Amino acid sequence: MNSFAHGIEIHTPDGVTFSLVLAGLLRRFSAWLVDQAVVGVSLAAFSRLFIPVVTLFPDLATSAIILISFLVSTGYSIVLEWFWRGQTLGKRLFRLRVMDEAGLPLKFNQIVIRNLIRVVDALPVFYLVGGICCFISKKSQRLGDYAANTVVIRIPETVAHRFDRFEPEKYNSFRDYPHLCARLRQLVSAEAAFLAWDALARRNDFVDEARLRLFSEIARYFRELVQFPEEATYGLTDEQYVRNAVGILFQPAVPGPPLSAHVPEKNSGR
Amino acid sequence: MIIDIKRFIDVEKPYWDELESLLSALDKEAFPRLTLAQVRRLYYLYRRVCTDVSRLCGVSVEPELRVYLESLAIRAYGEIHETRNRALRFNPFHWFFVTFPRTFRAHFRAFEIAAFATLLGAVFGGAVILVDPGAKTILLPYPELQQNPSERVSEEEAHAGQDVAGRQLSGSAFYMTHNTRVSIYVFALGITWGIGSIMLLFFNGVLLGVVAVDYIRAGETAFLLGWLLPHGAVEIPAILVAGQSSLVLGWALLGWKSREPLKVRLRRIGPIVVTFLLGVTLMLVWAGIVEAFFSQYHEPLLPYWVKILFGICELVLLILYFSLLGRPSSGSDVRVPSWGRFE
């Protein structure tokens, strides 16, 4: 298992390597706040329910309130993480999950240890010790995670078919050069490809100046990777250049006449 | 590798959905059970998703898809490759009569160190109060303990338990939760290689020493024993067992004379630590009940010798419990667990 900037890699005995995205500090803190709110609200509601009992049986009611407050505040995370496999309400809301460092399911003792060492992580206030440890740790582990061999990961959202959001491709001058298209697919990093796609999908959200600057930079990146001939790029705006490149990267070739029979027209972006 | 992403997703998505729904069903159950056919299907789907991940490795597009598939595959991997028993098969009788005392003995050295730290603190606190009685105000942060021992004894004996009448249940709950919180702190400070725990145990010992010497000097030894022994006979050992668990954790972190990697050491001590903590909780529940319902009643309502005898009996039973129970009978192949032993 290796750790990288925001995640860890797990090498399985089957020879497959997986990477898990670690949860960020802010997201974890937000999940903790939600959990605290849930605990606080449930205890307040419980105390209100016990008001009539306090009048009739003050000793019994006080002892019940003391015990239940302790059990809920201490056991909330332990019970939920055990039954929901590493998740509490806050973690579910922020798509986080506690996992064994080796990618295996959590054991009960790991959950107990990580949650009891929380009292040291929470020192002196607002999880300062735990926060500093997370910040320093390569795997974003607070002391409890370190002792229990656990990590908190971010669960990715289910991927929808994004192709439906693209307009059908009319004409892409880059496709006339399949060897350059293949080179482009080979050289572009996954992150850059997604960034370009995202920029196109959100083009209407940008103000004009920012949009022009953004597409200029992305187009320059693509141009540096692969040089398409002038006849393929003549008259293309930066945005259209990016649109063509993204089309090459994400969409399969549109079946049509053989390339030899196709004469590209100048000044045609699509 | 060049693949038609759209076609790839169209073909493979039903398998991903099936695997996801299978894993979600597993997630919903704390103790899931799969049929052989389901296990085989799970394994097939896992291998298929692994293949899909490998295919996407050579493609520069769809990083989100890859992340999603990896998260799916890792969840399935965890289910398939987990060799440890997930089900919490907990037999309370076996745990109480065998596991807890046996685990205690296996790590007795840690208990000795915890006891020594407390004793050292008690000697220190006692010595300080003997040399400088005025230090009591500094060493005892609790106002109720600042009172002159003889005055307190006269007040307690005059009340004859009326001051605690009708508050036993809430008092019991308070003692239980307060002491359990202290034990959690003692254990959690094991993460400081046990140094923090030893300091806390030492401080606890200082308080005990100061109170003990203060009452003995005032000639209130019988009251002191009658007041502290009934619940202290279980409560103080419980705190020491919490210290024992923290030292086991600290020892695993240090890994002195161990060839095992840190992760393996920490993995090994997990069940030991949880056994200790469960035992501590049980002991403190008992101590809380005794403290609220028994310790707070004094003479003339309850003779001191009865309370002292009760405390001594508890202590003897506790010693017998820890030293005798869970020992393998002659000819039995049951062995004391040696893994992660604190030596």
Side-chain angles (χ1 to χ4, degrees), chain A residues 1 10-14 16-21 58-60 62-64 66-67 69-70 73-74 82-85 87 92 97 99-110 112-113 116-120 123 139 141 143-144 146-149 153-164 182 184-191 193-194 249-252, chain B residues 2 4-6 9-10 13 17 20 23 26-32 43 46-47 50-51 53-54 57-71 73-75 77-79 81-88 166-171 173-174 176-178 180-181 184-185 187-189 191-192 249 253 262-264 266-267 269-271 273-274 277:
Chain A
M1 187 191 59
I10 294 167
H11 307 285
T12 71
D14 308 311
V16 183
T17 301
F18 303 118
S19 50
L20 297 172
V21 184
D59 193 31
L60 180 71
T62 313
S63 65
I66 292 172
L67 281 177
S69 301
F70 175 74
S73 56
T74 312
W82 174 240
F83 281 99
W84 285 353
R85 297 194 164 200
Q87 287 190 304
R92 276 201 166 189
R97 186 188 288 274
M99 276 191 77
D100 182 278
E101 233 182 315
L104 301 172
L106 282 177
K107 300 295 289 180
F108 184 70
N109 59 61
Q110 289 179 294
V112 172
I113 291 172
L116 292 188
I117 294 183
R118 196 179 281 279
V119 294
V120 178
L123 291 174
K139 294 172 204 156
Q141 288 172 302
L143 292 174
Y146 185 73
N149 273 331
I153 60 151
R154 188 157 55 86
I155 305 166
E157 288 183 40
T158 308
V159 176
H161 284 276
R162 298 199 309 250
F163 295 96
D164 303 342
L184 186 70
R185 285 198 191 97
Q186 190 186 19
L187 293 177
V188 174
S189 69
E191 287 75 19
F194 180 69
L249 293 170
F250 284 87
Q251 290 184 287
Chain B
I2 298 170
D4 182 341
I5 290 289
K6 186 173 178 354
I9 292 176
D10 287 343
K13 196 163 187 307
D17 290 343
E20 189 167 14
L23 291 170
L26 287 174
D27 278 355
K28 281 176 189 160
E29 290 181 47
F31 308 103
Y43 185 62
Y46 162 69
R47 296 302 298 258
C50 284
T51 312
V53 172
S54 305
C57 282
V59 183
S60 60
V61 294
E62 293 289 336
E64 277 195 343
L65 178 63
R66 193 178 156 186
V67 168
Y68 165 67
L69 287 183
E70 282 181 341
S71 79
I74 197 72
R75 282 168 68 192
Y77 162 78
E79 296 297 338
H81 287 266
E82 175 60 285
T83 52
R84 300 168 299 174
N85 185 16
R86 173 171 166 80
L88 187 66
R167 290 195 286 120
Q168 293 99 331
L169 275 176
S170 51
F174 170 77
M176 281 177 208
T177 53
H178 172 77
T180 308
R181 272 199 189 94
I184 290 173
Y185 263 103
F187 159 69
L189 284 169
I191 197 75
T192 59
L249 172 63
L253 287 168
L262 175 67
K263 286 183 203 323
V264 177
L266 289 173
R267 218 175 271 279
I269 59 139
V273 163
V274 172
L277 292 175

Side-chain angles (χ1 to χ4, degrees), chain A residues 28 31-32 34-35 76-77 81 86-98 114-115 118 142 152 155:
Chain A
R28 284 180 73 169
W32 174 78
V34 170
D35 287 333
Y76 167 83
S77 300
E81 282 179 11
Q87 287 190 304
T88 57
L89 277 170
K91 287 191 180 81
R92 276 201 166 189
L93 197 66
F94 286 91
R95 301 188 66 83
L96 305 178
R97 186 188 288 274
V98 184
R114 77 181 296 278
N115 279 299
R118 196 179 281 279
R142 60 176 177 83
V152 182
I155 305 166

